[in-house]
Amino acid sequence: PPPRWRRRGCCCGSGRAAGPRRCGGPSAASAADGPCLSLCSTFDVAVVGAGIVGLASARELVRRHPSLAFAVLEKEKELAHHQSGHNSGVIHSGIYYKPGSLKAKLCVQGAALCYEYCDQKGIPYKRCGKLIVAVEQDEIPRLKALYERGLQNNVQDLKLIGAKEIKAKEPFCRGLMALDSPHTGIVNYKQVAQSYAEDFREAGGTILTDFEVTNMEMAKESSSESEDGLKYPVIVRNSKGEEIYCQHIVTCAGLYSDRLSEISGCSPEPRIVPFRGDYLVLKPEKCYMVKGNIYPVPNPRFPFLGFHFTPRMDGSVWLGPNAVLAFKREGYRLFDFSTGDFLDAVTYSGLWKLVLRNLSYGLSEMYRACFLSAQVKQLQKFIPEVTINDVLRGPSGVRAQALDTDGNLVDDFVFDGGSGDIGSRVLHVRNAPSPAATSSLAIAKMIADEAKRRFEL
């Protein structure tokens, strides 16, 4: 294969295969900063986004095509910094999703692959199980329907249990009936993502951090880089004016997937609307009240699973989250605000259609976000012993939820491309919310298959 990049006047002496257009001396070759950039960096495929889906996809691609040059471009200085590092850490079993959907198929496959991968790499996890608990009579039909859906999705060892069995599994939990999912687990997904990154690097891939993609354009054949312009016709440029050349692009940009699609000349639809989820945490001396995951019976009108109890790998227990509109795409605090992100959301007609259809639900979520007692009241439906003195405000995450022009939340994974010089060379992951972390290895296989078909790798 051709050299992955050419070094001109580079002083770091690292001899590594690729990197952005920068050179900061010997320290530039450190593992934290990635390789230094020469005047020209060329790759066969660039993956934009170093979250868990982007890293899993890059890992799968380089394993399938070891003779090609791959790069991952990440705007942050660290990997898995946003959705992949701000989630509950649950390994979902695949119960909730519409039979035949990509979510259902890839979640069941991905959970099995996740457990297998963690075993191979020695990454700790706990198969602590999950109870989906009905606390009201009118929830029982929905719970039974969920059980049937799980069976259709080939989720293993599901069973419905009564109040006594609920007490046996979760002594502090009350409920009329529950769906027992013994293969649901927990893991630190940031650790999993970092392991994917190590695999990718060891296979010869290059990860460029602090590289925020702001532009994609076709190289001009008459430029001084005419050789690269012919073989690597796409220029990807970052916010600092640094650029790489590549043949094809795969975007896994989460909260910015719609904007990257627009940059590449593809459709901005579906649009991303950010929803912030705030967690509470049980005080350490109260964590004994929760053994495994305890979930409510979900409202089928929404993609959110409701307030739940989630044990963590560090022994803590998270409670929540709620779901409220975030005024900043990466706004993890209550008062985080971005004028651009806010205007982008409130000027989108699809958001107003969603709000008007679900006004009471949205106002209830906002109320619970402001008042701790309202959140505790939700939790007491399942564990009455929990009081406001037992909880503290915890971390938050922001979910990248795709929304169409009719105000419908896009419920399945969405992958697409476009037409034209650049659009035909790009594969976009447009909507990959939960259970994308669980499904990451299965999604990666699908993306690698699609990349091979579209790009003729």
Side-chain angles (χ1 to χ4, degrees):
R4 299 191 180 184
W5 71 317
R6 286 174 287 150
R7 223 175 263 282
R8 298 175 183 166
C10 175
C11 62
C12 78
S14 68
R16 295 176 69 179
R21 184 178 298 190
R22 71 171 74 91
C23 182
S27 65
S30 71
D33 296 331
C36 66
L37 267 231
S38 73
L39 291 177
C40 182
S41 304
T42 57
F43 303 94
D44 294 290
V45 179
V47 177
V48 182
I52 196 167
V53 173
L55 291 169
S57 301
R59 171 185 177 274
E60 183 69 19
L61 284 164
V62 76
R63 284 160 61 92
R64 291 193 189 189
H65 308 283
S67 64
L68 301 182
F70 293 90
V72 171
L73 312 178
E74 168 55 42
K75 74 182 183 68
E76 304 294 347
K77 294 182 180 180
E78 62 180 274
L79 309 180
H81 186 64
H82 290 293
Q83 289 185 105
S84 303
H86 292 81
N87 59 70
S88 61
V90 175
I91 303 173
H92 292 283
S93 59
I95 298 169
Y96 299 101
Y97 317 113
K98 182 179 178 181
S101 66
L102 287 176
K103 273 191 176 183
K105 176 184 174 183
L106 298 179
C107 184
V108 172
Q109 293 176 0
L113 291 170
C114 182
Y115 283 125
E116 181 182 351
Y117 181 83
C118 289
D119 285 335
Q120 290 174 354
K121 296 293 182 175
I123 297 172
Y125 64 85
K126 294 178 183 177
R127 206 183 297 243
C128 55
K130 173 167 69 177
L131 295 182
I132 303 173
V133 182
V135 295
E136 304 289 347
Q137 284 290 344
D138 62 1
E139 293 177 332
I140 291 177
R142 281 190 279 145
L143 186 69
K144 290 180 177 179
L146 205 58
Y147 170 66
E148 295 298 330
R149 173 171 282 197
L151 295 181
Q152 291 180 61
N153 290 343
N154 297 314
V155 179
Q156 299 298 305
D157 301 324
L158 286 180
K159 62 180 179 178
L160 291 168
I161 62 175
K164 288 184 178 179
E165 291 170 289
I166 292 172
K167 280 286 185 183
K169 288 181 173 290
E170 292 285 352
F172 292 90
C173 181
R174 64 176 284 269
L176 303 175
M177 182 181 289
L179 180 53
D180 181 13
S181 173
H183 299 300
T184 298
I186 55 173
V187 73
N188 183 336
Y189 279 121
K190 190 158 191 174
Q191 186 177 357
V192 174
Q194 289 167 342
S195 182
Y196 292 167
E198 291 174 13
D199 294 344
F200 177 66
R201 286 192 181 105
E202 288 172 2
T206 300
I207 297 177
L208 308 177
T209 56
D210 200 20
F211 195 101
E212 181 178 3
V213 174
T214 56
N215 187 43
M216 303 174 192
E217 63 183 44
M218 297 299 291
K220 297 178 181 178
E221 294 184 20
S222 59
S223 71
S224 60
E225 300 294 343
S226 58
E227 179 185 339
D228 290 334
L230 290 170
K231 185 162 181 58
Y232 304 98
V234 182
I235 301 174
V236 181
R237 189 172 292 112
N238 71 9
S239 56
K240 301 175 183 177
E242 300 165 343
E243 53 191 45
I244 66 157
Y245 286 70
C246 62
Q247 294 191 52
H248 306 286
I249 301 169
V250 176
T251 71
C252 303
L255 287 155
Y256 293 94
S257 60
D258 55 342
R259 293 182 183 175
L260 273 181
S261 181
E262 199 165 9
I263 285 172
S264 72
C266 298
S267 172
E269 306 293 339
R271 291 276 286 276
I272 293 298
V273 176
F275 285 90
R276 192 185 74 253
D278 303 312
Y279 288 93
L280 306 177
V281 293
L282 272 181
K283 291 182 177 179
E285 63 269 23
K286 295 292 182 176
C287 289
Y288 67 88
M289 290 193 288
V290 179
K291 294 180 178 294
N293 294 282
I294 303 172
Y295 277 61
V297 179
N299 186 330
R301 293 174 55 199
F302 305 103
F304 313 112
L305 300 181
F307 257 67
H308 46 268
F309 298 75
T310 302
R312 301 278 293 174
M313 290 302 298
D314 62 3
S316 63
V317 176
W318 286 13
L319 316 169
N322 57 6
V324 295
L325 181 67
F327 298 133
K328 184 179 180 181
R329 291 203 179 193
E330 293 166 354
Y332 300 105
R333 294 170 298 186
L334 182 61
F335 297 108
D336 281 351
F337 183 85
S338 162
T339 302
D341 290 347
F342 175 73
L343 291 176
D344 196 35
V346 300
T347 57
Y348 182 49
S349 61
L351 175 62
W352 287 107
K353 292 174 184 177
L354 174 71
V355 168
L356 292 173
R357 282 202 304 265
N358 303 283
L359 187 59
S360 61
Y361 176 86
L363 291 174
S364 297
E365 287 293 289
M366 291 178 68
Y367 177 80
R368 283 192 287 268
C370 296
F371 297 98
L372 204 62
S373 59
Q375 297 181 59
V376 172
K377 188 175 180 180
Q378 293 291 310
L379 299 169
Q380 288 172 334
K381 293 180 180 179
F382 304 92
I383 299 183
E385 288 84 354
V386 174
T387 71
I388 196 168
N389 296 320
D390 298 330
V391 301
L392 301 168
R393 290 198 179 274
S396 298
V398 179
R399 175 191 178 111
Q401 177 63 54
L403 184 67
D404 67 21
T405 53
D406 294 324
N408 298 313
L409 297 172
V410 179
D411 191 43
D412 208 357
F413 298 141
V414 176
F415 309 93
D416 69 15
S419 57
D421 290 340
I422 295 179
S424 61
R425 292 178 174 272
V426 182
L427 173 60
H428 293 291
V429 179
R430 298 299 303 273
N431 188 48
S434 179
T438 298
S439 310
S440 58
L441 290 174
I443 291 173
K445 291 179 181 295
M446 181 177 176
I447 289 173
D449 289 341
E450 187 66 13
K452 181 178 180 181
R453 185 185 71 82
R454 291 188 185 221
F455 305 154
E456 299 180 352
L457 297 180

